[in-house]
Amino acid sequence: MSATPLVEPIAAATAISRYSANPVLQASDIPYDASLIFNAGVAKYQGQYVMLFRNDACPGNEAGWIDWREGRREHPPRFETSMGFATSKDGIKWDVAAKPCWKIADDEVLRVYDPRITILEGVAYVCFAMDTKHGVRGGVARTEDFSRFDILSLSTPDNRNMVLFPEKVGGKYMRLERPFPVYSRGRDRFDLWSGASPDLRYWGDHELVLGVEHVPFANDKIGPGAPPVRTSRGWLTTFHSVWRDPAINLRGWEKTWHKRYDAGIMLLDLENPSRVIGMFKEPLLTPVTPYERNGFRNDVIFPGGMILEDSGEVKIYYGAADTVEALATAHVDDLVALCTEAR
Ligand code: BMA
């Protein structure tokens, strides 16, 4: 496979459609300092759609950021990362809260980012990544109002991209996660794992779910995407996958960038979600549109929200080019068919 395929696999292109007015959220929609709006978690909660999004901004230095983007300045200004909150009646048009809802920066923690939302037993949980001075940690928090976040657990470094299942399985809470063991594997070779917990605080029973070598369109690393949704055939879930080619500089506003991020899709066993029962062997979404191909990091699709509607429509929300948030829709039966039909 070449580094930057410009066409979607036919089976995926017929199953899934991008929302025609993408992106659904971008910096110009935000009523406070915002430069890059991406990698959102989305869920349906208490009668509306809720979204937590990542905002990388340069408060007080918007001019520096524009100068850097347009090549008049060698190094980017310092980004500050926060999470913002938005609500929607239809999952398409979003009302953004007046202020960021979550930001941690102290002597140890550099930032929290890449939220995923799961509604479990009627309670809203947020999984997130936390950069610290001693490594990257993955966390699980509970929130009642999306303005206060009660951290229930934090992994040891390095781990991130956690997603909680929306139900207990076999009496335990379950999550997918992506440790990144640099020392033992010598280079990026990162896989997708599961973990189980009696109480969302203590996590164990870790199992390898999907190795990077099992994904034909990944040569670098893979990781969980949006929290899984239950279907009659299995847990349907997206993952992100990375194809790296150092010989090809994809540029972007960040000047050195060699990786393409695609979205993949798979089905996990309902009783044992650590077992893959089907996977589409090609990307579900690969960067083809201008908003996916051009931005801070070119050619990035990073799914973080997936909603199964009563009609069978599936909404998939994804960060595009680490710059904006986009939406694609499909029918659940078509996504299941991609995972189960041999191609
Ligand atoms: C990953 C994470 C994501 C980001 C992606 C592409 O490693 O840092 O937040 O979207 O890279 O840059």
Side-chain angles (χ1 to χ4, degrees):
M1 174 173 288
S2 70
T4 51
L6 297 180
V7 285
E8 210 109 70
I10 288 170
T14 45
I16 192 162
S17 322
R18 288 164 173 82
Y19 172 53
S20 57
N22 266 341
V24 287
L25 205 70
Q26 56 191 318
S28 54
D29 300 322
I30 311 301
Y32 46 86
D33 279 315
S35 302
L36 306 169
I37 298 296
F38 63 113
N39 294 2
V42 185
K44 261 179 148 172
Y45 181 58
Q46 298 182 342
Q48 61 181 349
Y49 295 80
V50 291
M51 175 191 279
L52 284 172
F53 56 86
R54 168 173 172 182
N55 174 16
D56 285 6
C58 317
N61 196 1
E62 181 66 14
W65 145 252
I66 293 170
D67 280 352
W68 171 70
R69 239 171 69 186
E70 295 179 359
R72 293 189 294 273
R73 172 183 164 135
E74 196 185 342
H75 298 292
R78 201 172 63 83
F79 282 107
E80 286 182 11
T81 299
S82 65
M83 283 192 213
F85 179 57
T87 56
S88 172
K89 290 191 170 44
D90 58 8
I92 294 173
K93 264 182 69 45
W94 293 89
D95 294 317
V96 180
K99 303 185 298 212
C101 64
W102 200 16
K103 179 174 182 176
I104 311 181
D106 58 29
D107 286 347
E108 174 61 16
V109 179
L110 305 171
R111 58 180 184 163
V112 285
Y113 59 103
D114 290 3
R116 271 85 162 194
I117 306 172
T118 296
I119 310 302
L120 202 169
E121 298 160 347
V123 177
Y125 294 95
V126 180
C127 294
F128 56 93
M130 176 187 274
D131 286 358
T132 78
K133 289 187 181 158
H134 296 87
V136 181
R137 307 180 71 180
V140 181
R142 179 174 42 216
T143 185
E144 282 178 10
D145 53 8
F146 293 90
S147 72
R148 276 163 304 140
F149 299 87
D150 177 18
I151 296 179
L152 305 176
S153 72
L154 278 174
S155 73
T156 49
D158 279 336
N159 201 336
R160 69 176 166 200
N161 297 309
M162 277 148 191
V163 301
L164 269 183
F165 284 72
E167 296 168 29
K168 284 184 177 171
V169 182
K172 296 239 170 87
Y173 297 100
M174 291 281 310
R175 73 182 182 194
L176 301 175
E177 56 191 84
R178 210 291 303 281
F180 34 132
V182 177
Y183 179 80
S184 55
R185 304 201 64 187
R187 63 183 173 105
D188 280 16
R189 288 300 282 171
F190 306 150
D191 313 299
L192 196 154
W193 289 71
S194 65
S197 171
D199 55 6
L200 292 168
R201 182 171 164 82
Y202 296 100
W203 290 90
D205 295 337
H206 299 286
E207 281 187 55
L208 178 67
V209 177
L210 187 69
V212 61
E213 70 278 12
H214 298 131
V215 179
F217 50 97
N219 70 354
D220 188 78
K221 57 183 173 177
I222 57 171
V229 300
R230 174 189 269 280
T231 73
S232 58
R233 302 290 300 278
W235 293 106
L236 183 66
T237 195
T238 52
F239 57 91
H240 68 261
S241 71
V242 179
W243 183 272
R244 180 208 285 259
D245 186 345
I248 296 183
N249 189 357
L250 297 168
R251 291 186 74 88
W253 300 332
E254 192 184 60
K255 295 295 176 266
T256 311
W257 179 243
H258 307 290
K259 300 177 203 164
R260 185 192 75 237
Y261 275 65
D262 297 310
I265 189 139
M266 64 178 169
L267 262 187
L268 305 175
D269 188 278
L270 284 175
E271 266 87 55
N272 174 12
S274 304
R275 194 168 80 83
V276 178
I277 52 178
M279 184 189 78
F280 182 44
K281 300 286 187 305
E282 297 178 274
L284 174 66
L285 289 167
T286 197
V288 290
T289 66
Y291 55 87
E292 296 160 350
R293 301 224 58 208
N294 307 303
F296 178 63
R297 287 178 169 170
N298 287 351
D299 288 347
V300 175
I301 286 180
F302 199 85
M306 186 177 192
I307 291 173
L308 173 55
E309 305 286 7
D310 293 341
S311 64
E313 183 194 64
V314 176
K315 293 188 172 73
I316 296 177
Y317 295 86
Y318 60 98
D322 282 8
T323 303
V324 297
E325 186 66 23
L327 167 67
T329 57
H331 194 280
V332 63
D333 295 344
D334 293 335
L335 295 179
V336 169
L338 286 178
C339 298
T340 50
E341 286 167 14
R343 287 173 197 284

